[in-house]
């Protein structure tokens, strides 16, 4: 949860103010809003369909709809959240914590792209672009690298800090 909070702090005040400092003063509020609203929107989309398409069984390129709207995260019989992973010494990570952590990565990846077109796009175009890019670019790469049965994961790719999914993916999109 602390790591999740740190990524949120990197995005909301950190990245928003950084990009705000790169633009003319008349456009600072616009860039701040683009970062904050894009991050918030992507986190909501993550919990609606993104987590399911990224981290459930599917094919090598995209997951399935098993966790659509976070279905199955709450275990009614036990009255607890489902577990994402159990490590040595009995350390357990609830799946909702894992989903929240990954949601922040999805949000920050989309907001990294905002810096590439700061001052050049209308607010509505930024939001439409972010939804399309998140769905067609981020989710397949996320599944291929981190998801069960993912193409790059099965090929031996190791991405512990998001170098492929976050940084390479966002920078290529910004360059394009």
């Amino acid at each position: 949860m602390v790591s999740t909070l740190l990524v949120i702090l990197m995005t909301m005040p950190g990245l928003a103010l950084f990009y705000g400092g790169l633009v003319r003063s008349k456009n600072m509020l616009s860039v701040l809003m683009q970062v904050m609203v894009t991050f918030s929107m992507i986190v909501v989309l993550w919990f609606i369909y993104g987590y399911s398409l990224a981290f459930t069984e599917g094919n090598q390129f995209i997951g399935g709809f098993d966790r659509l709207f976070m279905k199955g995260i709450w275990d009614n019989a036990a009255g607890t959240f489902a577990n994402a992973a159990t490590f040595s010494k009995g350390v357990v990570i609830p799946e909702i914590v894992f989903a929240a952590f990954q949601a922040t990565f999805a949000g920050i990846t989309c907001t990294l792209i905002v810096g590439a077109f700061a001052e050049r796009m209308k607010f509505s175009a930024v939001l439409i672009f972010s939804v399309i890019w998140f769905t067609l670019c981020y989710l397949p790469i996320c599944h291929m690298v981190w998801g069960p049965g993912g193409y790059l994961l099965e090929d031996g790719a190791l991405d512990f800090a998001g170098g492929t999914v976050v940084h390479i993916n966002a920078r290529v999109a910004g360059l394009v």
Side-chain angles (χ1 to χ4, degrees), residues 42-131:
I42 295 300
V43 167
V44 170
L45 292 177
W46 179 260
F47 284 105
I48 292 173
Y49 67 91
Y51 180 74
S52 184
L53 290 175
F55 286 102
T56 60
E57 293 285 337
N59 58 38
Q60 290 184 329
F61 303 103
I62 196 74
F65 292 107
D66 296 340
R67 294 282 193 223
L68 197 64
F69 289 97
M70 302 306 281
K71 179 180 67 177
I73 296 290
W74 177 256
D75 185 3
N76 284 329
T80 60
F81 288 107
N83 293 330
T86 303
F87 298 99
S88 63
K89 300 180 185 177
V91 175
V92 176
I93 297 176
E95 192 169 0
I96 191 69
V97 173
F98 177 73
F101 180 66
Q102 291 296 332
T104 60
F105 274 109
I108 198 169
T109 304
C110 289
T111 57
L112 283 170
I113 302 168
V114 170
F117 49 72
E119 297 183 320
R120 294 183 197 95
M121 284 179 78
K122 292 175 66 175
F123 187 70
S124 59
V126 170
L127 297 181
I128 292 168
F129 171 80
S130 296
V131 170

Side-chain angles (χ1 to χ4, degrees), residues 26 41 52:
K26 71 177 189 170
M41 178 185 63
S52 184

Side-chain angles (χ1 to χ4, degrees), residues 7-25:
V7 176
I8 291 170
L9 290 175
M10 270 192 318
T11 307
M12 293 302 209
L15 195 61
L17 291 174
F18 175 71
Y19 285 160
L22 294 177
V23 298
R24 294 177 288 182
S25 60

